[in-house]
């Protein structure tokens, strides 16, 4: 998404810090844009990043700050819950809706199925990456609106424009598997309900 949007204007962004060759690119190229990095494995990193984002916004960083409020890659069909942090900054939020066309390649990256290197190779060797990009009107937190309500309002705007279905779960659920105990409880509940109807 960052590469697609950077065709319009340079952006700083908030992203996971990566090791290897991608980490080298982050250090030597993306640092020049003022990007803010985080590490999901560091429990206290969230607070540090929130302070760095607020400082960047307050001091008018040299490039617009691009924040992906879902916090993870999604499959271009659903819009998962937005994290509220980006909506607590007391500044304009400029929503951007991106809808990829799978005519040549599926731009969705599932880290469970392929490495980022292989995903990037697939994108770069396809005929084209086709996307509709919509820059929506800047939004401001309304009087009496909570950060969660503001995030939800912006999410619905983006989903409507990009023709995505809004779902009430966190995008990070794709990394989790339900426990066997929970699955068994749900099966028993479903079985009991089915028996009651018969």
């Amino acid at each position: 998404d960052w590469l697609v949007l950077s065709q319009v204007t340079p952006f700083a962004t908030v992203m996971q810090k990566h090791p290897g060759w991608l980490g080298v690119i982050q250090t030597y190229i993306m640092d020049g844009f003022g990007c803010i990095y985080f590490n999901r494995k560091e429990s206290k990193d969230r607070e540090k990043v929130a302070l760095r984002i607020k400082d960047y916004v307050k001091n008018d960083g040299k490039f617009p700050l691009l924040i992906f409020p879902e916090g993870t890659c999604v499959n271009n069909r659903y819009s998962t819950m937005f994290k509220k942090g980006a909506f607590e900054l007391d500044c304009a939020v400029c929503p951007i809706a991106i809808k990829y066309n799978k005519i040549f390649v599926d731009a969705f990256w599932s880290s469970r199925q392929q490495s980022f290197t292989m995903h990037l190779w697939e994108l770069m060797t396809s005929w084209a990456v086709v996307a509709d990009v919509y820059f929506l009107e800047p939004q401001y937190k309304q009087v009496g609106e909570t950060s969660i309500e503001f995030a939800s309002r912006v999410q619905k705007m983006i989903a409507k424009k990009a023709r995505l279905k809004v779902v009430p779960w966190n995008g990070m659920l794709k990394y989790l598997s339900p426990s066997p105990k929970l699955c068994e409880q749900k099966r028993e509940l479903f079985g009991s309900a089915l028996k009651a109807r018969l």
Side-chain angles (χ1 to χ4, degrees):
D1 293 347
W2 181 82
L3 282 172
V4 168
L5 294 173
S6 291
Q7 303 309 303
V8 177
T9 188
F11 285 97
T13 191
V14 178
M15 63 173 23
Q16 166 103 18
K17 184 67 174 170
H18 293 279
W21 68 267
L22 188 53
V24 172
I25 289 173
Q26 287 176 316
T27 301
Y28 292 103
I29 296 173
M30 297 185 75
D31 276 1
F33 294 105
C35 294
I36 298 170
Y37 305 109
F38 62 87
N39 184 348
R40 282 193 175 97
K41 294 175 183 168
E42 296 279 330
S43 60
K44 297 193 181 209
D45 209 32
R46 178 178 290 221
E47 294 148 16
K48 291 178 195 172
V49 169
L51 289 172
R52 290 181 59 213
I53 291 170
K54 286 179 182 176
D55 186 53
Y56 188 94
V57 170
K58 187 177 86 178
N59 294 317
D60 291 327
K62 55 184 168 181
F63 297 107
L65 183 61
L66 187 60
I67 300 175
F68 298 98
E70 291 170 311
T72 187
C73 297
V74 291
N75 65 7
N76 204 33
R77 292 186 310 215
Y78 301 101
S79 176
T80 60
M81 264 182 3
F82 280 15
K83 304 208 180 312
K84 67 178 183 164
F87 301 90
E88 295 177 327
L89 298 173
D90 238 3
C91 66
V93 171
C94 301
I96 303 171
I98 304 173
K99 180 70 173 183
Y100 288 97
N101 184 324
K102 297 179 186 178
I103 191 166
F104 296 115
V105 67
D106 186 356
F108 170 62
W109 172 47
S110 173
S111 58
R112 292 180 124 193
Q113 295 175 354
Q114 97 189 130
S115 70
F116 186 73
T117 302
M118 290 309 299
H119 175 66
L120 194 58
W121 175 256
E122 188 178 309
L123 292 176
M124 293 179 79
T125 57
S126 71
W127 281 96
V129 176
V130 180
D132 293 320
V133 179
Y134 306 96
F135 291 86
L136 307 176
E137 289 294 319
Q139 298 296 309
Y140 297 87
K141 193 172 180 182
Q142 297 172 350
V143 176
E145 188 175 44
T146 67
S147 299
I148 294 170
E149 292 167 337
F150 184 24
S152 178
R153 179 167 57 85
V154 171
Q155 177 194 29
K156 288 174 185 164
M157 286 176 61
I158 292 171
K160 181 178 179 184
K161 192 66 179 178
R163 300 171 310 282
L164 303 172
K165 181 179 178 182
V166 175
V167 292
W169 59 75
N170 185 321
M172 298 307 286
L173 283 176
K174 69 182 179 180
Y175 296 110
L176 304 173
S177 298
S179 71
K181 184 178 177 182
L182 178 65
C183 292
E184 187 56 36
Q185 287 174 343
K186 294 295 179 186
R187 281 190 202 107
E188 287 176 12
L189 188 63
F190 179 74
S192 298
L194 194 58
K195 286 178 187 176
R197 289 189 182 253
L198 297 174

